[in-house]
């Protein structure tokens, strides 16, 4: 029997067991201990920023970035319609209103033109999402935002290792938010991270996620705080994964190259594209099929052959909490969801696994 192909399973091994056991043996298993600050420092060095603060999840990271920015009731936050719902839910957590905009048909990311068109006097922030690891056009987005005094909060939860003009995604806006969920390139099991331009504001987020406790005064809390801290066991796992990050990122990119090469002759497939100057982390390799092909049929046939896939994120307005949200022309978002598919991209897959997956895709398409 051939080896099982995996969609986005984490790559955990002996190194991770060693680091997690160190945390357990030390007794530092909760939120107090050396592993959390060590992980924050290593992560900051990895992407070239001065400070980073860990959180319970990528969603919590976005929540804290919005909260620290002062976004609240009456404010609007512009966000792409094609993204995971976690990019949008934190906007409601702070009482603001999400404004959905269409995406670029090639890159699948927020269109700077659509962002500019949807700015109003109530727009307080914009959340560009580096979808599936593909960098947004950050020069244009930050230029538009700066001219209108709009905060840029990057959703880099899927794009660790992605570069735009030589800089890591997550380092262009006032804040950048990352996720270490089990399916990300590196994982802490859950967990997230916030980075930002202001060390003072990052320190304040660190204070907020720890119940706004002033340690020097014991259990004294001068502000409303949150319990959104990362644990030392999670951080220990993260430290092990950072040690392996370059190798894991290399595998992600190699998976994409193999799919590109193996499916180059298939005119029915178009890969998610990049902006000039952008280098995707290839968290997931994603494609669109020709509009007359039923993606669900392709999915089912691939599943029968042992090739797992998943649909592109459903447009946010399709979910009940957001059905009444204002939106304009979303033709690109609709088309990408209708025709898009995420291919198996786990770093546990070998080159033969990816070639086998590509072969099954070719076989199915040639019978269409």
């Amino acid at each position: 029997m051939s080896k099982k192909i995996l969609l986005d399973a984490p790559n955990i091994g002996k190194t991770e067991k060693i680091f997690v056991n160190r945390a357990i043996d030390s007794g530092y298993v909760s939120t107090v201990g050396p592993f959390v600050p060590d992980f924050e420092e290593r992560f900051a060095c990895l992407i070239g920023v001065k400070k980073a603060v860990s959180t319970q999840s990528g969603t919590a990271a976005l929540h804290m970035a919005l909260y620290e920015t002062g976004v609240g009731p009456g404010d609007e936050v512009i966000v792409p319609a094609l993204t995971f719902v976690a990019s949008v839910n934190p906007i409601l957590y702070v009482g603001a209103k999400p404004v959905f905009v269409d995406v670029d048909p090639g890159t699948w990311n927020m269109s700077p033109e659509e962002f500019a068109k949807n700015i109003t006097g109530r727009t307080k922030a914009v959340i560009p999402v580096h979808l599936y690891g593909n960098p947004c056009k950050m020069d244009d987005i930050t230029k538009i935002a700066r001219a209108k005094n709009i905060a840029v909060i990057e959703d880099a939860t899927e794009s660790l290792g992605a570069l735009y003009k030589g800089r890591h995604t997550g380092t262009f806006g006032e804040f950048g938010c990352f996720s270490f969920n089990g399916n990300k390139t590196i994982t802490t099991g859950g967990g997230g991270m916030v980075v930002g331009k202001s060390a003072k504001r990052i320190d304040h987020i660190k204070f907020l996620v720890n119940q706004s406790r002033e340690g020097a005064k014991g259990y004294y809390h001068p502000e409303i705080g949150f319990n959104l801290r990362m644990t030392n066991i999670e951080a220990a796992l993260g430290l092990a994964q950072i040690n392996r990050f370059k190798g894991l990122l290399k595998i992600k990119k190699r998976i994409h190259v193999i799919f590109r090469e193996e499916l180059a002759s298939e005119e029915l497939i178009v890969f998610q594209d990049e902006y000039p100057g952008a280098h995707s982390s290839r968290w997931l390799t994603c494609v669109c099929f020709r509009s007359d092909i039923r993606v669900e049929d392709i999915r089912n046939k691939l599943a029968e052959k042992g090739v797992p896939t998943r649909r592109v994120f459903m447009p946010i307005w399709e979910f009940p909490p957001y059905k009444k949200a204002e939106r304009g022309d979303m033709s690109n978002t609709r088309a990408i969801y209708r025709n898009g598919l995420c291919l198996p991209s786990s770093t546990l897959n070998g080159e033969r696994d990816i070639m086998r997956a590509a072969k099954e895709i070719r076989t199915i398409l040639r019978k269409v």
Side-chain angles (χ1 to χ4, degrees):
M1 181 180 288
S2 59
K3 176 186 167 187
K4 182 180 180 181
I5 297 174
L6 301 167
L7 178 64
D8 55 4
N11 194 321
I12 305 294
K14 292 181 180 179
T15 302
E16 286 75 13
K17 290 179 183 178
I18 292 169
F19 274 74
V20 170
N21 282 334
R22 283 179 188 168
I24 293 171
D25 292 343
S26 73
Y28 292 116
V29 297
S30 188
T31 56
V32 176
F35 297 91
V36 170
D38 284 355
F39 181 49
E40 290 170 341
E41 185 177 345
R42 288 285 306 280
F43 186 85
C45 290
L46 179 66
I47 66 168
V49 297
K50 292 182 179 179
K51 280 192 174 184
V53 55
S54 57
T55 59
Q56 198 175 70
S57 65
T59 308
L62 288 163
H63 183 189
M64 288 297 91
L66 287 163
Y67 186 90
E68 179 65 22
T69 303
V71 177
D75 294 330
E76 293 179 350
V77 179
I78 295 176
V79 63
L82 186 66
T83 184
F84 183 47
V85 73
S87 305
V88 185
N89 286 342
I91 299 170
L92 267 66
Y93 297 166
V94 296
K97 175 186 174 182
V99 176
F100 303 129
V101 300
D102 204 6
V103 296
D104 180 272
T107 65
W108 306 8
N109 285 331
M110 175 186 286
S111 160
E113 293 75 21
E114 289 297 312
F115 164 40
K117 278 167 45 179
N118 284 275
I119 294 171
T120 71
R122 295 183 296 278
T123 306
K124 186 72 174 282
V126 60
I127 301 179
V129 180
H130 305 294
L131 196 68
Y132 300 124
N134 195 26
C136 294
K137 205 170 188 177
M138 291 310 301
D139 282 355
D140 288 353
I141 290 171
T142 54
K143 182 179 179 181
I144 294 165
R146 198 178 303 118
K148 297 289 185 178
N149 196 29
I150 295 168
V152 177
I153 298 171
E154 289 178 76
D155 184 341
T157 54
E158 300 168 0
S159 67
L160 180 59
L163 302 175
Y164 181 71
K165 296 188 176 179
R167 283 174 58 185
H168 282 269
T169 54
T171 65
F172 291 85
E174 278 68 30
F175 295 104
C177 302
F178 297 83
S179 170
F180 308 119
N181 189 36
N183 62 359
K184 297 301 188 291
T185 303
I186 67 170
T187 183
T188 58
M193 194 76 77
V194 186
V195 302
K197 293 184 181 299
S198 167
K200 183 178 179 180
R201 295 175 88 177
I202 290 296
D203 285 341
H204 189 237
I205 290 177
K206 181 77 170 176
F207 174 68
L208 288 171
V209 301
N210 189 31
Q211 299 283 25
S212 296
R213 179 188 170 197
E214 285 191 7
K217 296 183 179 181
Y219 283 87
Y220 180 72
H221 311 268
E223 294 182 50
I224 294 172
F226 303 84
N227 185 12
L228 297 175
R229 297 165 291 177
M230 178 178 283
T231 69
N232 276 267
I233 288 181
E234 290 171 324
L237 180 57
L239 285 166
Q241 290 266 283
I242 277 187
N243 284 348
R244 301 177 58 210
F245 173 64
K246 288 184 179 179
L248 296 173
L249 184 65
K250 186 177 180 180
I251 296 170
K252 286 282 189 184
K253 293 186 176 184
R254 180 59 184 156
I255 287 169
H256 180 82
V257 168
I258 293 171
F259 273 125
R260 283 260 188 185
E261 291 174 347
E262 294 294 314
L263 299 173
S265 61
E266 301 305 315
E267 297 179 357
L268 303 181
I269 289 181
V270 177
F271 283 81
Q272 182 187 18
D273 203 1
E274 294 170 316
Y275 288 110
H279 296 280
S280 175
S281 63
R282 304 299 181 189
W283 171 56
L284 292 182
T285 290
C286 305
V287 298
C288 267
F289 293 93
R290 199 176 65 191
S291 59
D292 60 343
I293 295 174
R294 277 180 48 84
V295 168
E296 203 58 38
D297 291 344
I298 299 290
R299 273 199 80 206
N300 292 336
K301 290 174 182 177
L302 286 172
E304 290 172 4
K305 298 295 183 179
V307 179
T309 59
R310 84 179 201 196
R311 293 290 299 272
V312 169
F313 293 128
M314 183 178 289
I316 297 294
W317 71 78
E318 295 289 348
F319 302 121
Y322 299 105
K323 280 191 177 293
K324 293 182 180 179
E326 293 179 11
R327 57 184 180 275
D329 176 33
M330 296 288 178
S331 55
N332 295 333
T333 296
R334 294 177 194 276
I336 293 166
Y337 172 65
R338 183 176 61 246
N339 305 321
L341 197 63
C342 303
L343 306 182
S345 302
S346 171
T347 53
L348 290 173
N349 294 321
E351 293 197 3
R352 289 185 179 180
D353 301 317
I354 301 305
M355 283 188 249
R356 181 162 72 86
K359 179 182 177 182
E360 297 294 353
I361 294 170
R362 282 199 309 270
T363 300
I364 291 169
L365 288 179
R366 288 170 185 180
K367 293 179 180 179
V368 171

